[in-house]
């Protein structure tokens, strides 16, 4: 038996045991690891039993939900979450589109997958009963990304200069794979800053493999998303008035060390790929031709006001896209944007629901951040900011690929909901200071003149 197969079996058995004897949230952590390990698609899958591993973890979560969540406080109620109504409305729209979907079989299949995902997120929200478990889930996400980064490192690029087929369950494409990895770098930055020496070393190792994986994938969207989100987070660390011990030094160290490490792993092929962003004259090289796919969505909606359902855009794309983009290669094109994917699949209600869901998530985290500032909990404030920047990273990367129904997107929304639960809902009964707690003043040793 290979070491990977043995490792998977040990992780699975350990996760089941931890769910029963430690905390039910371990069932969701196990679900996350199975998502990343993706045993059905790995070369070592022949050496393990052919069981429905994800289904087993879902059943385990339901069992833990029944055993552990009866005595939870009111802040754990789904009804108190602003995101709940948006998720329900999105699901109802997909069910409504059964009457209008052009590719009924695909629409039915992926709507069922989305329903299962929403059930998993609802169970996870209940099982994650503390701030520590919320951070443990994010740690698990980072560990899964580390595994994918390691897998990318030992696999290497194919003849087309990309990495395909090694991603998690719903992200086999290179760009989807990179979008799943990129947000983890923001979380590693926070954990590196706040952790002890062992945690710092662990974050550095994981970050190195994840960064190398991102370089090997050559995804321009993931690169833009990570660069923008990391810049925002570091700027807050450096210029925010709510400073913690060694905060600016850590931020500057991470910037310098990160840039040097990135320049070390970034090869010529990566820079050639990124340089195509400037070649707007050649739309196929720069990727700017995707704008044509986005604009075609409005023409599609003119003929199909309620949208075309899942995979419907691919069916009708040859009728609406310039023929030069369908000659010779792939004829049926995707819309290549999460925002326009929502618009194409669900019509105008789809984009309204998507934007409403995202705005609601950021409003929740902003309210959590203001609450933490009033309480003087500045380290937790930067934790919430890391969740915000990770979501921003994914949204930017997802603006160039179809990721409206991606698992990682809804994990990040779950983290937003967790921050709102622990930092807002759990403190509603507690009186907050009328004014924000002022940051502690810096102390300077006085110098006495000697004569």
């Amino acid at each position: 038996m290979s070491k990977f197969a043995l490792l998977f079996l040990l992780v699975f058995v350990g996760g089941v045991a931890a769910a029963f004897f430690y905390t039910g949230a371990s069932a969701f952590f196990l679900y996350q690891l199975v998502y990343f390990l993706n045993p059905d698609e790995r070369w070592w899958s022949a050496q393990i039993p052919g069981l429905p591993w994800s289904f087993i973890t879902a059943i385990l979560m339901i069992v833990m939900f029944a055993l552990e969540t009866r005595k939870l406080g009111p802040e754990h109620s789904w009804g108190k979450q602003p995101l709940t109504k948006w998720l329900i409305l999105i699901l109802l729209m997909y069910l409504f589109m059964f009457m209008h979907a052009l590719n009924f079989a695909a629409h039915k299949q992926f709507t069922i997958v989305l329903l299962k995902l929403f059930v998993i997120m609802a169970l996870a929200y209940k099982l994650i009963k503390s701030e520590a478990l919320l951070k443990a889930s994010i740690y698990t996400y980072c560990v899964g990304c580390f595994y994918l980064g390691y897998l990318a490192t030992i696999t290497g690029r194919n003849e087309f200069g990309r990495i395909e087929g090694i991603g998690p369950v719903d992200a086999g494409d290179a760009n989807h794979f990179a979008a799943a990895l990129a947000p983890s770098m923001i979380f590693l930055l926070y954990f590196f800053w706040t952790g002890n020496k062992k945690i710092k070393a662990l974050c550095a190792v994981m970050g190195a493999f994840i960064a190398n994986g991102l370089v090997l994938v050559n995804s321009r969207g993931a690169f833009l998303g990570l660069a923008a989100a990391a810049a925002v987070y570091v700027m807050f660390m450096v210029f925010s008035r709510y400073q913690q011990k060694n905060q600016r030094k850590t931020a500057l160290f991470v910037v310098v060390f990160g840039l040097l490490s990135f320049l070390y792993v970034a090869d010529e092929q990566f820079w050639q790929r990124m340089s195509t962003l400037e070649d707007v004259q050649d739309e196929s090289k720069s990727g700017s031709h995707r704008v044509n796919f986005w604009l075609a969505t409005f023409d599609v909606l003119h003929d199909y006001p309620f949208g075309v359902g899942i995979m419907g855009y691919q069916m009708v794309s040859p009728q609406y896209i310039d023929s030069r983009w369908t000659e010779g290669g792939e004829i049926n094109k995707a819309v290549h944007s999460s925002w326009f994917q929502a618009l194409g699949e669900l019509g105008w209600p789809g984009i309204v629901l998507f934007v409403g869901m995202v705005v609601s998530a950021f409003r929740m985290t902003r309210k959590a951040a203001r609450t933490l500032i009033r309480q003087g909990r500045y380290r937790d404030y930067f934790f919430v900011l890391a969740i915000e920047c990770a979501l921003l990273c994914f949204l930017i990367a997802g603006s160039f690929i179809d990721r409206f129904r991606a698992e990682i997107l809804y994990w990040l929304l779950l983290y937003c909901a967790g921050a709102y639960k622990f930092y807002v809902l759990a403190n509603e009964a507690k009186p907050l200071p009328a004014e924000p707690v002022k940051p502690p003043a810096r102390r300077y040793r006085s110098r006495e003149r000697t004569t």
Side-chain angles (χ1 to χ4, degrees):
M1 179 178 291
S2 72
K3 59 181 180 181
F4 287 107
L6 180 61
L7 175 63
F8 173 78
L9 293 176
L10 290 175
V11 167
F12 197 88
V13 173
V16 173
F20 281 103
F21 298 107
Y22 179 60
T23 174
S26 298
F28 178 59
F29 305 158
L30 181 60
Y31 172 85
Q32 292 178 284
L33 292 175
V34 171
Y35 169 80
F36 281 110
L37 292 171
N38 195 9
D40 294 335
E41 301 296 329
R42 304 305 181 202
W43 61 269
W44 41 265
S45 61
Q47 302 176 12
I48 61 176
L51 299 176
W53 302 102
S54 294
F55 178 74
I56 294 174
T57 58
I59 296 299
L60 180 62
M61 290 180 66
I62 294 175
V63 172
M64 292 299 103
F65 168 77
L67 294 176
E68 289 194 0
T69 60
R70 295 178 180 177
K71 298 181 180 180
L72 293 177
E75 69 273 10
H76 296 273
S77 171
W78 295 310
K80 288 186 174 293
Q81 274 294 333
L83 278 177
T84 301
K85 63 179 181 293
W86 297 106
L87 298 178
I88 292 176
L89 289 173
I90 288 173
L91 183 60
L92 289 176
M93 274 302 304
Y94 274 107
L95 294 175
F96 171 77
M97 284 302 299
F98 272 60
M99 298 185 295
H100 301 279
L102 300 184
N103 189 336
F104 181 81
H107 187 85
K108 178 181 177 181
Q109 175 188 353
F110 289 105
T111 298
I112 293 174
V113 171
L114 184 67
L115 173 60
K116 293 177 181 178
L117 173 60
F118 284 5
V119 171
I120 292 294
M121 294 302 101
L123 294 172
Y125 178 77
K126 289 282 191 176
L127 292 173
I128 297 176
K129 298 175 291 186
S130 67
E131 300 172 43
L133 291 177
L134 177 62
K135 292 182 179 180
S137 176
I138 296 177
Y139 268 118
T140 305
Y141 163 54
C142 293
V143 169
C145 291
F146 161 67
Y147 167 74
L148 294 183
Y150 170 76
L151 200 60
T153 300
I154 64 175
T155 302
R157 296 190 181 104
N158 57 22
E159 65 271 21
F160 303 105
R162 309 297 297 277
I163 295 181
E164 303 283 357
I166 67 169
V169 175
D170 68 336
D173 177 81
N175 291 320
H176 297 181
F177 169 84
L181 259 65
S184 65
M185 297 293 287
I186 306 298
F187 291 125
L188 288 177
L189 174 57
Y190 170 80
F191 291 135
F192 180 88
W193 167 44
T194 59
N196 55 32
K197 292 182 179 180
K198 293 182 180 179
I199 295 297
K200 290 182 187 296
L202 181 62
C203 289
V205 172
M206 290 196 297
F209 277 97
I210 295 172
N212 191 55
L214 290 171
V215 168
L216 291 172
V217 172
N218 279 343
S219 172
R220 293 169 295 196
F223 174 75
L224 291 174
L226 179 56
V232 171
Y233 193 72
V234 169
M235 286 181 63
F236 269 91
M237 287 188 68
V238 173
F239 299 109
S240 173
R241 58 180 295 198
Y242 307 109
Q243 293 290 313
Q244 299 291 286
K245 183 179 179 181
N246 296 326
Q247 181 171 316
R248 285 196 176 96
K249 292 180 180 178
T250 301
L252 295 175
F253 171 78
V254 168
V255 170
V256 174
F257 180 77
L259 286 176
L260 292 176
S261 301
F262 183 76
L263 291 174
Y264 177 77
V265 299
D267 56 7
E268 183 179 356
Q269 195 169 12
F270 172 81
W271 291 118
Q272 288 178 351
R273 173 76 173 174
M274 295 305 113
S275 66
T276 60
L277 289 169
E278 301 177 354
D279 194 2
V280 294
Q281 299 299 324
D282 189 337
E283 294 180 340
S284 62
K285 285 185 177 181
S286 65
S288 59
H289 67 288
R290 295 179 181 179
V291 175
N292 300 310
F293 302 167
W294 302 347
L295 295 178
T297 311
F298 299 110
D299 296 329
V300 173
L301 289 182
H302 183 269
D303 296 331
Y304 302 93
F306 292 102
V308 290
I310 298 174
M311 301 295 291
Y313 184 94
Q314 286 85 331
M315 290 182 61
V316 301
S317 60
Q319 306 172 29
Y320 297 93
I321 297 176
D322 193 318
S323 59
R324 61 177 171 155
W325 303 119
T326 60
E327 292 177 354
E330 182 184 0
I331 297 177
N332 302 107
K333 296 292 185 178
V335 69
H336 287 291
S337 172
S338 300
W339 309 92
F340 287 91
Q341 180 190 6
L343 180 63
E345 291 183 355
L346 302 179
W348 292 109
I351 188 63
V352 170
L353 293 176
F354 188 20
V355 172
M357 179 178 66
V358 170
V359 171
S360 178
F362 281 114
R363 290 182 65 183
M364 288 160 50
T365 53
R366 282 294 85 201
K367 190 171 183 179
R370 289 194 297 268
T371 301
L372 292 169
I373 289 175
R374 286 185 177 275
Q375 294 176 333
R377 299 168 60 183
Y378 303 124
R379 180 163 292 191
D380 289 331
Y381 161 75
F382 281 98
F383 172 60
V384 174
L385 184 62
I387 295 176
E388 288 183 320
C389 290
L391 178 57
L392 175 65
C393 174
F394 189 88
L395 290 174
I396 294 175
S399 297
F400 306 97
I401 49 178
D402 295 357
R403 293 278 79 194
F404 177 43
R405 292 176 276 103
E407 285 251 1
I408 299 299
L409 171 61
Y410 292 95
W411 289 11
L412 295 172
L413 293 174
L414 173 66
Y415 298 150
C416 294
Y420 186 76
K421 174 168 66 171
F422 298 123
Y423 302 134
V424 178
L425 297 179
N427 289 289
E428 283 184 344
K430 301 177 183 178
L432 295 176
E435 297 293 337
V437 177
K438 294 182 179 180
R442 296 184 180 181
R443 297 179 179 179
Y444 298 93
R445 291 186 301 177
S446 62
R447 297 181 180 178
E448 298 183 358
R449 294 184 178 181
T450 58
T451 57

